[in-house]
Amino acid sequence: MLAILLALPGQALGEPLKIATILGPPWGFMGSDGQPTGMMYEIGNRIAEVAGLRYTNSLVPCPLSVIPYPRTGADIENGSADVIIRFGNDQMTRGAVPAGVVVSMPVILVDPSGKNYSKLSELHGKTVGVVRTSKYVEQFDTDKAIQKYPVNDYVTMAKILAMRRLDAGVGSSMGLFYGAYMGGVKPEDIGVPLVLGSNDFILFISKKTAKPETTRALKEALDKLSASGEIKQIMSKYSKSFSLPQR
């Protein structure tokens, strides 16, 4: 019995693994049944389960008035959360260990219907929506001739785009599409997306709380779920609700 207990990952014997999930469709949100759900919420749960770890999974922020993206970075950096799945940035580099790529996702630029930008230089002097603190692709992030307008989430971005109060919006393809769906935005209100590149959703583990055995178990679980196709199956549940015309 002692040998079995010693072989278990650290969190299995002590405190549950604390997973933080960004609050915002499709990553994490409250479903129609009043229960938390979402693409990264489900994937985070499955990684912990396959790793054999007890866990909790919280939608961040709480309260809702706090902006989720910088909040999750702070929680990882100070150890309030052990694990999160998200794009990287400078704060995540400081406070977290990257355990592996969960999924690589296209980064797209979407305009109000009818504009159909074909290159970034056409956005010089214009206002483009971005989710606060997010990093997308270098050529966009470093282009100082483009005015970046921060929003809290993709639902907000899609609604503002549909009202033609932004010249364009930039984000992950899944985030923008599902945000439009959740915001009640019709496909015909959004222009044809321009693919700028891709970015990785990474499984980050807090440097404050990381244990070698837990990190190893999480990496192995992520590899298993990727190889089996289960991560793609979870993603497919959130990719059928909204489609945009292709170039």
Side-chain angles (χ1 to χ4, degrees), residues 86-97:
R86 57 164 287 173
F87 283 169
N89 63 11
D90 293 340
Q91 187 175 38
M92 300 306 295
T93 301
R94 289 195 309 269
V97 178

Side-chain angles (χ1 to χ4, degrees), residues 126-134 136 140 146-154 156-161 163 165-170:
K126 298 185 183 297
T127 303
V128 179
V130 297
V131 174
R132 296 178 191 274
T133 78
S134 291
Y136 295 111
F140 173 78
I146 299 174
Q147 177 72 34
K148 279 86 169 181
Y149 182 83
V151 298
N152 289 354
D153 52 49
Y154 287 119
T156 303
M157 187 187 295
K159 288 181 176 179
I160 297 175
L161 273 171
M163 291 187 287
R165 288 166 51 191
L166 288 172
D167 294 302
V170 166

Side-chain angles (χ1 to χ4, degrees), residues 34-172:
Q35 298 300 312
T37 187
M39 181 192 303
M40 297 308 171
Y41 182 85
E42 290 192 36
I43 292 173
N45 288 350
R46 286 297 294 143
I47 290 172
E49 289 162 3
V50 172
L53 301 172
R54 295 187 301 115
Y55 66 92
T56 62
N57 195 338
S58 302
L59 300 182
V60 177
C62 184
L64 296 178
S65 60
V66 183
I67 299 167
Y69 283 81
R71 166 71 183 274
T72 55
D75 285 351
I76 283 288
E77 192 169 11
N78 65 32
S80 298
D82 299 315
V83 169
I84 190 169
I85 300 170
R86 57 164 287 173
F87 283 169
N89 63 11
D90 293 340
Q91 187 175 38
M92 300 306 295
T93 301
R94 289 195 309 269
V97 178
V101 174
V102 176
V103 62
S104 184
M105 197 170 290
V107 172
I108 61 173
L109 182 143
V110 173
D111 47 74
S113 180
K115 293 195 174 183
N116 293 337
Y117 299 111
S118 60
K119 53 187 177 181
L120 275 180
S121 60
E122 295 175 5
L123 275 300
H124 288 177
K126 298 185 183 297
T127 303
V128 179
V130 297
V131 174
R132 296 178 191 274
T133 78
S134 291
K135 299 291 184 181
Y136 295 111
V137 292
E138 185 177 3
Q139 66 266 34
F140 173 78
D141 296 335
T142 60
D143 194 330
K144 296 182 180 180
I146 299 174
Q147 177 72 34
K148 279 86 169 181
Y149 182 83
V151 298
N152 289 354
D153 52 49
Y154 287 119
V155 175
T156 303
M157 187 187 295
K159 288 181 176 179
I160 297 175
L161 273 171
M163 291 187 287
R164 309 182 78 83
R165 288 166 51 191
L166 288 172
D167 294 302
V170 166
S172 67

Side-chain angles (χ1 to χ4, degrees), residues 215-227:
T215 300
R216 182 172 60 253
L218 291 169
K219 286 182 177 180
E220 291 174 355
L222 174 57
D223 289 343
K224 288 178 182 177
L225 290 167
S226 297

